[in-house]
Amino acid sequence: ASAADALRIAHSLKSASAMAGATALAVIAARVEKALVSDSAADIINDTARMKVAFAAFRASLVDRGLAA
């Protein structure tokens, strides 16, 4: 994916996460979006790992509430 694609994906993930109530994921996606704009690769690498953890936690909370399989 190109840098422009990555930026669009980060922005979409930020917005969708916020709308879904996945606040931690939205915050991390916002940091990734900002890092992409400022070309800060080290921040992106660290935050993508955090993003995986935040997504797993959000998904688990949905499963616990019967909202996901």
Side-chain angles (χ1 to χ4, degrees):
S2 71
D5 290 337
L7 185 58
R8 261 191 311 278
I9 291 167
H11 181 77
S12 294
L13 180 59
K14 176 186 72 175
S15 300
S17 298
M19 288 180 58
T23 307
L25 189 56
V27 168
I28 297 166
R31 283 197 313 248
V32 169
E33 182 181 28
K34 183 178 178 182
L36 285 165
V37 169
S38 65
D39 199 27
S40 182
D43 293 335
I44 295 168
I45 291 168
N46 293 330
D47 281 335
T48 54
R50 289 183 186 102
M51 220 184 270
K52 288 180 183 180
V53 172
F55 178 77
F58 181 66
R59 185 179 183 290
S61 73
L62 292 177
V63 170
D64 289 345
R65 289 185 260 157
L67 300 172

